[in-house]
Amino acid sequence: MPIDVDEVQRRKAIAKATLTVAARDGARAVTIRAVAKELGGSTAMVTNYVPTRIALITNAVATAESRWYAELDEHVGRLDGRERLHATVAWNLTTDPDDLQLRRLWVEMLSSVQGGADSADAAQTREPATTRRELLDAVTAAGVADPELAADLLFLLVRGYFISTVEDPAPWTPERVARVADTIVDMLIP
């Protein structure tokens, strides 16, 4: 008789194990075999849900997305105008330990995609479009004169921050990043 497994819970467990392997051994060490070992099972326990290494990494990133956007919604709450824009930018320019691991996996995912099936796996993440839409909503609510341009500027700032924290997180202290966020918001809304 087949074992009834909750696919959503299994994918979450695989994502958690992926992050554990990445935190302990680095993003390059994330493999189906390493994640299966972390879960205490066979590779089939993983490949039944995520068939490739890129799908494994994408699963970890995609699983984090729902948490990120719930946190953002809580962070901006019922703020409006300039306060909402500032809170949205500040939230996007913060890092907790899981975020740094996820960004390393994100860079690994992007650098590994060569087209074909793995591109389809990587495309499953909604994060880029959702991030840009959140930024566009915030600049629109703040009354920025050219919201499309402002959202593009902020999106590129956020992406640059992601890469900078992967390259060397030490210089990007919360105080330094808050100063950048404040300056950008002040430039957009004089």
Side-chain angles (χ1 to χ4, degrees):
M1 182 166 217
I3 299 172
D4 190 25
V5 176
D6 181 337
E7 183 175 346
V8 172
Q9 290 306 317
R10 179 57 56 94
R11 284 180 173 277
K12 285 181 181 179
I14 291 169
K16 184 177 179 186
T18 302
L19 284 175
T20 300
V21 171
R24 183 184 60 232
D25 304 325
R28 302 289 258 171
V30 171
T31 63
I32 289 172
R33 187 174 310 282
V35 171
K37 182 178 178 185
E38 184 65 32
L39 288 168
S42 70
T43 56
M45 177 186 229
V46 175
T47 58
N48 284 338
Y49 302 93
V50 287
T52 67
R53 179 175 183 271
I54 297 305
L56 185 69
I57 292 170
T58 302
N59 177 61
V61 172
T63 299
E65 288 175 1
S66 60
R67 177 180 55 91
W68 290 337
Y69 294 111
E71 288 174 6
L72 177 59
D73 287 344
E74 184 178 312
H75 185 72
V76 298
R78 296 186 187 270
L79 297 175
D80 202 16
R82 181 187 191 101
E83 289 179 335
R84 178 178 176 192
L85 176 58
H86 187 273
T88 302
V89 172
W91 181 85
N92 274 285
L93 299 179
T94 58
T95 298
D96 69 29
D98 280 349
D99 289 343
L100 193 53
Q101 290 306 323
L102 284 162
R103 287 184 196 137
R104 287 182 179 128
L105 288 173
W106 173 72
V107 168
E108 183 72 15
M109 176 183 72
L110 294 178
S111 68
S112 298
V113 174
Q114 302 282 325
D118 284 346
S119 292
D121 290 338
Q124 290 177 12
T125 180
R126 301 179 323 256
E127 190 273 331
T130 304
T131 296
R132 187 176 179 294
R133 188 176 58 250
E134 291 286 346
L135 293 167
L136 180 60
D137 290 349
V139 295
T140 301
V144 173
D146 188 344
E148 291 288 336
L149 178 61
D152 287 346
L153 172 69
L154 292 172
F155 182 79
L156 292 173
L157 172 71
V158 168
R159 285 309 198 244
Y161 172 74
F162 285 6
I163 296 297
S164 295
T165 58
V166 169
E167 287 175 326
D168 185 9
W172 301 108
T173 63
E175 298 78 21
R176 185 176 184 187
V177 174
R179 184 171 177 233
V180 170
D182 291 343
T183 300
I184 292 291
V185 171
D186 289 345
M187 291 170 69
L188 292 172
I189 308 173

